[in-house]
């Protein structure tokens, strides 16, 4: 006798970001959600009968909708609301929801937390390259995988349009990127720890405290400030992938999404890079 054993199905890697806007500043909730159901789904396997199969796309949409209604408190409350919702279906015996929260902290600007600019948990990866030759020694230092976000004061408009252009112009978008910044010192004789910390601090402060008409302009503003504030730095190369966050359309569920629920994407992404240097370099 052949029979179907234990089975489950669901939707994994549901990515969503909620921006909770308030008078004292914004708050970012960044989640990866997985939903799995077990129950009376044997007919779907053995007979090709989908009458009891809740579509995984429905699970994804429910996760987005519930983020608008149930994500004001702990992620445990949000996960419970989702799981209990799916358990209401009579064919479901077990609904499992896994929620992973990715931490964002407000960037410190002059001793105060920024209202609308954040750095993702973790310090990024500090990197250094030393090249020694008969002609001398050069030192490059920098940071990789430094994930930052602006929830306001980022725009993109005035670009050319043709028959293949669908991107709308905007004067207020959410901008996120994973920064790679590598800078070259004019001399290897310096306090590398203190200088690295100072340059990194400038990078984050200027990212938080500027209006961005484009990622290209952000690179120029940040790099220019680093060169102006830190005479040890001769040149800086910055690579900023534009990690898009698209507003989720909640209208099919009777909900209004006023720049609150986004779905983040990593591929495809814009990739902007440039080197800014002193004129005599």
């Amino acid at each position: 006798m052949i029979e179907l054993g234990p089975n489950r199905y669901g939707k994994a890697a549901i990515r969503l970001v909620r921006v909770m806007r308030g008078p004292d500043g914004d708050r970012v909730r960044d989640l990866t959600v997985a939903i799995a159901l077990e129950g009376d789904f044997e007919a779907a396997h053995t007979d090709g009968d989908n009458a009891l199969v809740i579509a995984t796309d429905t699970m994804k949409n429910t996760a987005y909708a519930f983020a608008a209604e149930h994500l004001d408190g702990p992620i445990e409350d949000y996960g419970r609301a989702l799981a209990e919702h799916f358990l209401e279906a009579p064919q479901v015996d077990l609904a499992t929801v896994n929620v992973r929260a990715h931490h964002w902290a407000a960037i410190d600007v002059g001793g105060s937390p920024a209202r609308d600019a954040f750095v993702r948990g973790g310090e990024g990866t500090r990197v250094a390259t030393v090249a020694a030759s008969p002609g001398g020694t050069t030192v490059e230092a920098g940071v990789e995988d430094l994930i930052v976000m602006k929830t306001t004061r980022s725009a993109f408009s005035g670009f050319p349009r043709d028959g293949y252009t669908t991107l709308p112009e905007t004067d207020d978008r959410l901008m996120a990127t994973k920064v790679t910044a590598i800078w070259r010192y004019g001399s290897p004789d310096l306090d590398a720890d203190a200088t690295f910390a100072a340059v990194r601090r400038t990078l984050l402060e200027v990212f938080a405290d500027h209006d961005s008409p484009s990622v290209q302009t952000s690179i120029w503003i940040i790099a220019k400030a680093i060169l102006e504030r830190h005479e040890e730095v001769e040149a800086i190369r910055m690579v900023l992938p534009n990690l898009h966050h698209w507003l989720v359309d909640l209208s099919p569920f009777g909900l209004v999404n006023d720049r609150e629920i986004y779905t983040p994407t990593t591929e495809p992404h814009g990739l902007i890079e440039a080197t800014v240097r002193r004129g005599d370099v």
Side-chain angles (χ1 to χ4, degrees):
M1 180 179 177
I2 298 174
E3 62 180 15
L4 180 69
N7 61 90
R8 62 189 298 189
Y9 83 102
K11 197 76 163 181
I14 304 169
R15 295 284 291 114
L16 67 88
V17 170
R18 178 177 181 183
V19 179
M20 304 172 70
R21 304 182 186 276
D24 297 325
D26 295 343
R27 181 185 177 199
V28 173
R29 307 296 298 274
D30 184 347
L31 307 182
T32 300
V33 181
I35 301 169
L37 304 182
E38 299 176 44
D40 184 13
F41 304 111
E42 182 175 355
H45 290 273
T46 60
D47 302 325
D49 181 358
N50 297 324
L52 298 181
V53 177
I54 300 170
T56 63
D57 189 72
T58 300
M59 298 179 190
K60 176 198 68 178
N61 291 340
T62 306
Y64 289 146
F66 273 45
E69 299 180 307
H70 299 283
L71 197 52
D72 294 321
I75 59 173
E76 289 83 356
D77 292 350
Y78 168 72
R80 180 178 177 181
L82 272 176
E84 291 180 350
H85 167 79
F86 288 110
L87 194 61
E88 292 175 358
Q91 69 272 33
V92 176
D93 296 328
L94 178 65
T96 303
V97 176
N98 176 264
V99 183
R100 299 174 64 225
H102 311 291
H103 178 67
W104 292 87
I107 293 174
D108 183 270
V109 180
S112 300
R115 294 173 51 86
D116 58 3
F118 305 84
V119 58
R120 188 158 167 177
E123 297 295 309
T125 301
R126 179 174 173 176
V127 296
T129 302
V130 179
S133 71
T137 300
T138 60
V139 177
E140 289 187 344
V143 63
E144 296 176 344
D145 300 330
L146 182 64
I147 301 176
V148 292
M149 175 190 293
K150 288 177 74 71
T151 54
T152 60
R153 294 190 293 161
S154 176
F156 188 56
S157 62
F159 50 89
R161 309 190 71 88
D162 61 21
Y164 301 104
T165 304
T166 59
L167 183 70
E169 298 193 3
T170 178
D171 59 1
D172 189 7
R173 66 175 179 174
L174 189 153
M175 184 183 82
T177 186
K178 183 166 65 173
V179 176
T180 295
I182 306 295
W183 52 87
R184 185 172 74 250
Y185 294 126
S187 168
D189 302 318
L190 76 168
D191 186 334
D193 284 346
T195 305
F196 172 84
V199 174
R200 182 183 183 277
R201 184 165 56 248
T202 294
L203 188 158
L204 289 174
E205 286 183 352
V206 177
F207 173 84
D209 198 29
H210 82 285
D211 294 337
S212 173
S214 68
V215 178
Q216 286 88 338
T217 313
S218 291
I219 288 180
W220 173 255
I221 291 172
I222 295 168
K224 184 171 179 286
I226 289 172
L227 291 173
E228 290 173 343
R229 296 185 189 182
H230 306 281
E231 62 181 14
E232 308 94 327
V233 177
E234 283 191 339
I236 179 169
R237 178 173 59 87
M238 298 188 67
V239 181
L240 272 63
N242 194 353
L243 306 180
H244 302 294
H245 287 61
W246 306 117
L247 278 169
V248 177
D249 181 10
L250 297 181
S251 59
F253 322 121
L255 300 172
V256 176
N257 188 6
D258 183 15
R259 300 177 302 122
E260 187 176 12
I261 306 299
Y262 299 81
T263 180
T265 63
T266 58
E267 297 175 352
H269 59 250
L271 185 60
I272 298 91
E273 48 192 310
T275 297
V276 180
R277 60 194 182 191
R278 301 187 186 278
D280 56 351
V281 175

